[in-house]
Amino acid sequence: VVAMASLPTYDPAIWDGGIDQETFDAMLSEEAGEPLLSRAVQGTYPPGSTFKVSSLSAAVENGYSLRSSYACPGSVNLAGQNYENYAGAGQGSITLKQAIIASCNTVFYNFGYQMWSKDGGLHPDGEPEEAMAEMARGYGFGSPTGVDLPYETGGRIPDREWKRTFWEETREVNCERAESGYPDIAENDPSQAAYLKQLAHEHCVEGFEWRASEAINFSIGQGDVLVSPLQLASAYASIANGGTLYEPRVAKAMVAADGSKIEEIEPTVKNEVPVSDETIKYLQEALAEVTTSGTGGGAFSDFPQDQVAVAGKTGSADAQGRQVSSWFASYAPVDDPQYAIVVLVSQGGTGGETAAPIAREIYEGLYGFSSTGDTEDVKEGKPLLPGGKPHTELPVVRQDGSIETLEP
């Protein structure tokens, strides 16, 4: 996870003899960039188009065919609002595989709206299926991964129940704002203040409703959807391995100080992703083409895919008041997955332009590839790990407590 912030400068001597609470809080504040926040497990962000693997799974497992073609216009009008593809580009009638490869938003907008309507829209008759949200939870989103680290976040998968709970928690404030307005903002921006006052009124009166726009934005990992980079890596690892979602582990074994009593930590299955083998295989094939002919193709144009094929998905996520954040979720090799790598550059631009090239450099380091930018000049050097695979053996702990380093 790449995160950049403008941090204040402090004299290292402030640690001598302890530090007062005010200075400590200032150093670790949001304004200072929260430098001790583990963004991989505690940071939550809209996942953008990397989330489409979940939305496709939800659609297919609820009646949409993998063998059909779907319209990908430059924009669609749903529930009285216009929704566009990136740069307004349309692609005609395409398969779901191409919808992943080229990242067609409008295909998924239609899925989100149609499944919301099927549930009864604003006023469901009975218990709604919430298929999109349920599938997302099946991929591990909305709950901690179970990694053996403290303070992990669960992210957020919004649905009708969440919306009502949120409304109940915020209704009093919204109703007050609906009456008092935003006089501080009105001094400099009357139109913005008027808009916020009207919004507060709507949230006060109708804020419990799960609207079409929310379901539509949900389908492409926007709106109120929040995930951590580790959750996304776990989800893509489950696609790579055929559908099993594991709890990530930092520790591999427990060893006594003198090297005795080795107890290996067995992998823990969190759940099986609720999709068919056919859907998993379809996603694997689609993700493999993203880096050759899709939105990740530019970043991997001269990468030796004949030696190590990389599967992945780009994402560009919007958040109110912030620039677009860049995502790339991936795994490799395609035919024998060993690594799942997710790159997030907060406010870094599009996934194909920023995050995917960083992921490519990580894979180059793992496998010992280097490139001068010439597609004919890709060299193979010394990989960080032998055979391009993680270590399976444990390091030797000597009786004096020192550790025998594993050779790369």
Side-chain angles (χ1 to χ4, degrees):
V1 181
V2 178
M4 300 181 67
S6 178
L7 303 180
T9 301
Y10 292 95
D11 185 342
I14 64 172
W15 298 105
D16 293 345
I19 181 173
D20 63 84
Q21 188 66 46
E22 183 179 356
T23 303
F24 184 76
D25 291 342
M27 288 179 64
L28 306 186
S29 67
E30 185 176 351
E31 291 75 16
E34 297 177 314
L36 296 187
L37 179 72
S38 174
R39 284 162 170 79
V41 298
Q42 293 173 275
T44 57
Y45 313 85
S49 291
T50 61
F51 194 71
K52 288 175 180 173
V53 294
S54 175
S55 297
L56 182 147
S57 299
V60 171
E61 298 304 316
N62 286 272
Y64 294 88
S65 175
L66 290 171
R67 298 173 181 81
S68 297
S69 294
Y70 299 87
C72 177
S75 65
V76 291
N77 191 284
L78 301 169
Q81 188 170 337
N82 205 51
Y83 299 87
E84 294 188 349
N85 269 336
Y86 179 74
Q91 299 168 38
S93 181
I94 63 174
T95 64
L96 289 181
K97 184 178 292 185
Q98 193 61 30
I100 291 289
I101 295 168
S103 203
C104 175
N105 285 343
T106 49
V107 166
F108 291 93
Y109 289 147
N110 275 313
F111 286 159
Y113 177 70
Q114 290 163 11
M115 296 172 80
W116 172 83
S117 299
K118 182 182 176 183
D119 272 347
L122 285 174
H123 307 291
D125 183 14
E127 193 70 25
E129 292 184 16
E130 303 277 16
M132 285 276 187
E134 287 303 310
M135 181 58 70
R137 295 185 184 102
Y139 271 104
F141 301 120
S143 64
T145 64
V147 67
D148 47 341
L149 292 172
Y151 311 118
E152 184 187 9
T153 182
R156 182 170 66 207
I157 294 300
D159 56 12
R160 288 173 173 84
E161 182 180 350
W162 171 84
K163 187 69 184 297
R164 179 168 285 277
T165 300
F166 183 73
W167 173 69
E168 291 171 349
E169 292 173 349
T170 59
R171 185 183 181 189
E172 183 177 348
V173 172
N174 283 320
C175 291
E176 288 177 1
R177 282 295 191 178
E179 289 189 13
S180 64
Y182 293 79
D184 50 335
I185 297 176
E187 292 180 4
N188 300 314
D189 193 343
S191 61
Q192 176 68 3
Y195 168 75
L196 291 174
K197 183 176 180 180
Q198 177 62 31
L199 194 63
H201 174 75
E202 291 179 6
H203 287 165
C204 170
V205 177
E206 303 170 341
F208 59 89
E209 294 180 335
W210 180 246
R211 301 186 175 186
S213 60
E214 293 169 299
I216 291 166
N217 283 317
F218 183 105
S219 72
I220 62 162
Q222 292 280 182
D224 291 304
V225 179
L226 294 175
V227 308
S228 72
L230 184 61
Q231 286 176 326
L232 199 59
S234 294
Y236 273 70
S238 72
I239 295 171
N241 69 34
T244 301
L245 188 68
Y246 287 94
E247 293 185 356
R249 288 287 179 269
V250 175
K252 187 174 178 60
M254 292 180 285
V255 184
D258 62 358
S260 62
K261 298 181 181 178
I262 295 177
E263 181 182 343
E264 292 203 32
I265 299 172
E266 296 297 324
T268 300
V269 174
K270 184 174 183 180
N271 64 266
E272 296 294 329
V273 179
V275 298
S276 67
D277 292 343
E278 182 183 17
T279 301
I280 287 288
K281 187 174 186 300
Y282 192 92
L283 282 171
Q284 291 172 342
E285 293 172 353
L287 295 172
E289 291 190 43
V290 168
T291 58
T292 58
S293 60
T295 54
F300 287 85
S301 60
D302 59 348
F303 188 83
Q305 299 261 23
D306 57 332
Q307 298 178 57
V308 177
V310 177
K313 181 73 190 77
T314 57
S316 306
D318 293 314
Q320 188 173 6
R322 298 170 69 86
Q323 298 179 26
V324 172
S325 289
S326 177
W327 285 97
F328 187 69
S330 65
Y331 61 84
V334 167
D335 57 353
D336 182 24
Q338 299 295 320
Y339 303 101
I341 294 174
V342 167
V343 175
L344 163 66
V345 184
S346 179
Q347 305 188 80
T350 66
E353 292 176 346
T354 308
I358 294 172
R360 177 222 166 96
E361 290 188 25
I362 295 172
Y363 283 116
E364 285 179 339
L366 286 172
Y367 291 100
F369 299 130
S370 63
S371 173
T372 62
D374 184 341
T375 56
E376 301 298 323
D377 188 21
V378 177
K379 300 177 181 179
E380 188 169 358
K382 187 176 182 180
L384 293 178
L385 294 172
K389 294 185 177 182
H391 285 297
T392 56
E393 69 275 23
L394 293 169
V396 174
V397 180
R398 304 185 185 96
Q399 287 193 347
D400 64 359
S402 62
I403 298 175
E404 207 173 283
T405 304
L406 292 171
E407 290 296 324

